[in-house]
Amino acid sequence: MLLSHKEEDKLLLLQMQENDDNLAFDTLYDKYWEQMYNAAYKRLKDADYAKDITQDIFLQLWLRRKELSIDNLVSYLHTSVRNNVFKWMEKEQRYTPIPEVLIQLGIAKDQTDAEILRKEFLIKYERLINSLTPSQQEIFRMKYQEDLTTQQIADKLQISRKTVQNQLGKSMAQLRESLGPLYLMFLLQNL
């Protein structure tokens, strides 16, 4: 009698829990490592961090094998990848640049829920840009709408490049802080 993948996973998990079965763990590791690595890499675009996260997920699976109650291993692993990626992003304070967020929102616009989030995001985004100081607005729009370099902006406005960088940094920090929860909802919707 052939077992489904889910039934086979449950049996291997049970063997890990009850017998500390290394072979059962190795089987699950070999079966899902690459899939989880790819999921982490897709979100991080960094091979080393994706490997670290994937290794940590499997390490925790082994270390917590006695206390875990997993009904669907694939869902559990994907959720672990997503959560670990978010923890890493928060810890490293790495966020997707706002223009990339807008591109991702545009890509997902065919999905009904994503379209609602996209519209809400764009409204809030525009309000936030309008809430920046006039000089921050001007510099931000030149950088992200006109696609000028910081040096080009500095030359055009006759200010130092450092001032442009400082104003952009302040603008981006304010936008990230305000748009973060909405962007997180969008990401969760599309994982």
Side-chain angles (χ1 to χ4, degrees):
M1 179 174 136
L2 290 174
L3 297 175
S4 70
H5 287 290
K6 190 173 177 181
E7 292 170 331
E8 181 184 333
D9 292 348
K10 280 185 176 184
L11 181 61
L12 291 168
L13 285 168
L14 185 63
Q15 290 171 348
M16 277 175 42
Q17 288 175 329
E18 292 181 356
N19 306 325
D20 295 329
D21 189 335
N22 289 327
L23 185 56
F25 173 78
D26 290 345
T27 302
L28 291 172
Y29 181 91
D30 292 341
K31 185 176 179 181
Y32 292 114
W33 191 91
E34 187 173 351
Q35 184 181 349
M36 295 308 115
Y37 166 79
N38 288 336
Y41 182 79
K42 177 179 152 188
R43 291 170 179 87
L44 296 172
K45 304 292 189 240
D46 186 299
D48 292 331
Y49 289 120
K51 284 178 188 173
D52 289 346
I53 284 173
T54 306
Q55 290 297 105
D56 187 55
I57 288 166
F58 282 99
L59 175 64
Q60 291 304 314
L61 180 64
W62 176 255
L63 294 175
R64 299 180 58 214
R65 67 189 176 280
K66 299 284 187 189
E67 62 195 65
L68 292 174
S69 175
I70 301 171
D71 184 52
N72 184 331
L73 181 62
V74 175
S75 293
Y76 171 83
L77 292 172
H78 276 287
T79 300
S80 295
V81 166
R82 184 182 66 212
N83 292 342
N84 279 284
V85 165
F86 286 138
K87 284 179 196 170
W88 178 83
M89 288 173 77
E90 185 176 326
K91 182 179 130 202
E92 296 294 315
Q93 294 185 339
R94 297 210 178 186
Y95 301 96
T96 305
I98 298 298
E100 287 181 33
V101 172
L102 296 174
I103 290 168
Q104 288 181 16
L105 287 168
I107 290 168
K109 70 181 175 185
D110 297 335
Q111 303 166 5
T112 307
D113 290 341
E115 179 62 17
I116 293 167
L117 284 174
R118 180 178 142 329
K119 286 179 182 175
E120 188 178 340
F121 181 90
L122 290 173
I123 289 167
K124 190 169 184 182
Y125 172 76
E126 196 57 41
R127 275 191 205 137
L128 284 168
I129 290 175
N130 291 333
S131 74
L132 297 172
T133 66
S135 63
Q136 287 175 335
Q137 274 186 56
E138 184 177 27
I139 291 170
F140 187 88
R141 290 183 192 281
M142 291 172 100
K143 175 70 176 165
Y144 293 107
Q145 292 174 354
E146 296 176 33
D147 202 27
L148 298 178
T149 67
T150 53
Q151 188 58 58
Q152 290 170 326
I153 296 168
D155 292 344
K156 196 170 185 177
L157 297 177
Q158 298 179 336
I159 57 176
S160 75
R161 185 169 177 260
K162 187 71 175 166
T163 300
V164 171
Q165 291 171 329
N166 288 339
Q167 292 296 317
L168 282 172
K170 289 176 185 177
S171 301
M172 292 303 290
Q174 185 176 340
L175 291 172
R176 276 191 198 113
E177 184 177 314
S178 299
L179 292 173
L182 187 60
Y183 179 56
L184 185 59
M185 282 177 22
F186 171 77
L187 278 178
L188 291 172
Q189 184 73 24
N190 290 290
L191 292 179

